Every structure is written in structure tokens, then in C-alpha cells.
Amino acid sequence: MTRWVAILILALMVGLTAATAQDADQVPVEEVDTRTEAISKTLRCVVCQNQSIYDSNAPLAEDMRRLVRKRVEAGDTDDEAREYLRNLYGDYVLMSPPFQLNTILLWIGPAILVLFGGIWFITRLRSAPVEAIAELTDEDRARIEAALAKKGPDS
Amino acid sequence: MSLSRLLPAGVFVVIVVFLAIGLTRDPSVIPTEMIDREIPSFELPELREDEVMLTTSDLIGETALVNVFGSWCVACLQEHPTLMELSQAGTVRIVGVNWRDKRDDALTWLAKHGDPYSDIIFDAESDLVIEMGVTGAPETFIIDPAGRIRYKQIGPITPDVWRETIRPVLDAIAREQETNL
């Protein structure tokens, strides 16, 4: 009797696994895993500052990972999944800021600083007045002669 | 005085301005993306009657506050008296989103502190909450009769917040409705 129950349960379990395996559509599980992981690493956890949702243990990060997984399973490309979360949480959710009008200073600011610094340095270098060296006066020569004579010619 | 002498002072001023802006902004407040969007579609059970399913259409037709709360949420207790007052006065419809909670815990919490909600969406798995771009509880959305999100309040609705922020938005929606009729 117990054996029959066991067999029945086993059969049910096998059937169920097969059914779910078929339901989980085209994207294979391993691919979903790796892609969810990769996308999660590029998304910022919105409650924990500068941690990706992959690194964070916050419950909200977990929810966001689940949403990413759901999008991947639904057939989104990586960018589409990222865009989906950006649509909900704004640019903030992207670990690397997008290149757009309000971030342009962030991206090209350092280059501008180096450029202007370089220009300033070069112009300064060129226009720096060469300091005139004062001619030796007769008095100076006399003092030099005296000093050399005192030292002796050989030493 | 030559211009180059002023340069360090100029740089200093620029740095001060940047820091003044940068350091006084609260980095945990993320501007919401949801303003003027329709509430996302959902189908979730009602907390108090688990056989009843609530959908997007249940939030359309009347201006409402959609309040994300949970029995685990400490700051929610801070706004609860305000919500109770609003509900008893019948000022505005208040819909609850019970987030990441256990049904029994939530019901106990409501029994203890009072229940200001006309409907409560039971969102244990964050399905709706995450689609609304919620970052924490309490958060309260103001939705107009068309089901569009008009405002999002992050943090508790204190009497001050109600007077200075929430009520003006509700008034504006009411005025719009009158002119549309």
C-alpha cells in the first residue's frame, strides 16, 4: 500500500517537473541565471547607496532581482530589462550614469579641466618673463679676484 | 589687482557652491519617475477578504490616496493617526497597499491601530509595489479619477505634510474635475 502511494507521488512529481519545464518558455534556466546575474550587477540598489542589486541583501534588492529575472524570462534583452527598471526608478538605478545632457559635465568635465589646465600651464610657461641677469660690476670682479687669491691657485 | 590673483578665490567659490548643493541634498530621496503615469495594471487579493481580487479598475473613478504600508513598518505608525482622521472625516478615499507582510500580522496590526482603508491590496510579493517604483514604506501616491499618479509622498504623512503638500494637490485635482464637467 505505502509502496503504491510512494510510486503515485513520485509519478506526480515527475509529471509536474516535466510540465513546469515545458512551461518555462524558450529561455533556458542557466541562461536566465547568468543573464539575471549580469544585469543585476549593473543596477543600483535604490535603498542602499552604491551597491548593486546583485551585491545587496536588502529585501528591495531581492524584489528588483526577481523583477529582472521575470523580464529576462519574458524574453527581454539585457538592455530592455535594464530600461524597464530605469523606467520605474530613473537614471539613478543604473550603476554607470548614461551619457546625456544632464550628465555631460560629469563625463567631459575632467577632460575640460585637463585641457584648460594644460593651456594655462603652457601659456604661463611661454610668457614667463626671462629675468635679466645683472651684469658684474667692477666691485664684484674685485671681490672674486680676492676670494680666488685667498684660496690659492692649486686648491 | 590682476585677474589671475582672483583665480584661486574664484575656484574656491565654485567648489563652495558645488559642495553647498551636493552636501545638502538627501541622497536617499530619489525623484520619482511615476508622476503623470497611469497606475500599473495589477491583480491582487484584498487583504481582508482573500477571495476578492482587486484590479486596476478598482482604483479608477475617484481621487484616492494609495498608501503603501506594512505591519513591520515603524514610520507607518507615525502617519496612522492622520490617516485615521482623514478616513473618519471622509475627506478622501484611502486605499492601502499592504506590502511584504503576512496576512495575520497585517490584520492584527489594523485591529490594534485602526483601519482607515476603503480597500487594501495585499502585495506580499512586491508585485505592484515594485512596478510603482516604491523604495520604502510608508509611501503615498495621489491618484486622480482617471487613475493617473499625480504625486508621490515619500515618508509619513504628518499633519504638516497633509496641510502643505497633500491637500493642495487634492484641491488642484478637484478644480480640474470641476472645469472638465
Side-chain angles (χ1 to χ4, degrees):
Chain A
M1 178 63 194
T2 34
R3 178 178 293 175
W4 282 111
V5 173
I7 288 172
L8 192 70
I9 290 174
L10 205 68
L12 270 172
M13 278 168 67
V14 169
L16 268 175
T17 330
T20 41
Q22 271 170 4
D23 282 346
D25 48 69
Q26 311 82 11
V27 193
V29 186
E30 307 84 51
E31 196 199 319
V32 171
D33 285 346
T34 49
R35 282 181 52 208
T36 303
E37 187 182 316
I39 299 168
S40 297
K41 282 177 178 166
T42 65
L43 292 170
R44 192 194 311 275
C45 163
V46 289
V47 292
C48 25
Q49 311 287 337
N50 275 331
Q51 246 188 333
S52 73
I53 59 173
Y54 176 78
D55 293 321
S56 173
N57 293 321
L60 190 71
E62 200 180 301
D63 291 338
M64 289 167 77
R65 282 199 298 270
R66 207 167 49 221
L67 180 60
V68 170
R69 173 173 289 271
K70 216 158 77 180
R71 296 313 307 170
V72 171
E73 279 169 353
D76 274 13
T77 65
D78 291 8
D79 282 339
E80 281 166 354
R82 254 191 295 275
E83 199 53 37
Y84 191 90
L85 270 100
R86 182 184 177 187
N87 190 33
L88 297 176
Y89 286 101
D91 295 337
Y92 183 85
V93 84
L94 304 174
M95 283 299 267
S96 88
F99 188 79
Q100 58 194 22
L101 207 58
N102 63 350
T103 58
I104 204 154
L105 201 62
L106 184 70
W107 280 102
I108 64 170
I112 289 177
L113 279 181
V114 168
L115 190 70
F116 276 87
I119 291 172
W120 174 76
F121 184 72
I122 288 167
T123 48
R124 202 184 135 97
L125 213 63
R126 282 194 179 159
S127 65
V130 182
E131 268 184 54
I133 299 163
E135 289 287 321
L136 287 176
T137 60
D138 290 342
E139 200 185 333
D140 292 331
R141 284 181 210 282
R143 277 174 68 194
I144 293 166
E145 295 292 327
L148 286 174
K150 206 168 153 190
K151 244 180 161 185
D154 295 326
S155 60
Chain B
M1 197 169 2
S2 75
L3 207 64
S4 61
R5 287 270 180 92
L6 283 172
L7 198 66
V11 170
F12 177 73
V13 169
V14 169
I15 292 173
V16 165
V17 168
F18 267 82
L19 290 182
I21 297 170
L23 292 180
T24 50
R25 277 172 37 176
D26 183 354
S28 64
V29 173
I30 301 162
T32 181
E33 296 290 307
M34 304 304 291
I35 301 302
D36 284 335
R37 290 205 208 154
E38 309 223 332
I39 38 164
S41 62
F42 67 92
E43 190 179 353
L44 288 164
E46 149 78 18
L47 173 73
R48 293 157 302 191
E49 307 154 72
D50 57 358
E51 72 284 5
V52 177
M53 291 304 271
L54 295 170
T55 63
T56 320
S57 61
D58 291 303
L59 292 184
I60 291 173
E62 192 184 344
T63 305
L65 301 183
V66 177
N67 175 248
V68 179
F69 76 105
S71 66
W72 46 269
C73 156
V74 183
C76 295
L77 280 177
Q78 208 184 326
E79 66 176 1
H80 209 66
T82 314
L83 295 181
M84 287 304 292
E85 229 172 273
L86 293 174
S87 141
Q88 272 152 18
T91 318
V92 63
R93 180 186 183 204
I94 307 176
V95 176
V97 179
N98 183 240
W99 180 27
R100 210 186 280 142
D101 216 341
K102 293 199 181 72
R103 187 170 241 128
D104 289 341
D105 293 349
L107 291 173
T108 314
W109 191 84
L110 288 171
K112 191 171 166 195
H113 301 289
D115 182 352
Y117 303 109
S118 70
D119 304 88
I120 303 179
I121 300 157
F122 183 53
D123 192 8
E125 304 282 320
S126 310
D127 291 328
L128 172 61
V129 160
I130 203 119
E131 297 278 351
M132 288 178 88
V134 167
T135 56
E139 269 183 29
T140 305
F141 295 83
I142 303 178
I143 56 169
D144 66 15
R148 266 183 319 147
I149 294 165
R150 299 297 293 272
Y151 183 77
K152 175 168 112 164
Q153 165 69 24
I154 298 172
I157 302 176
T158 57
D160 278 351
V161 170
W162 162 254
R163 225 179 6 254
E164 281 153 29
T165 317
I166 309 286
R167 199 169 57 191
V169 179
L170 293 178
D171 289 347
I173 297 172
R175 274 198 301 276
E176 260 170 46
Q177 296 302 314
E178 272 168 35
T179 48
N180 285 351
L181 285 177

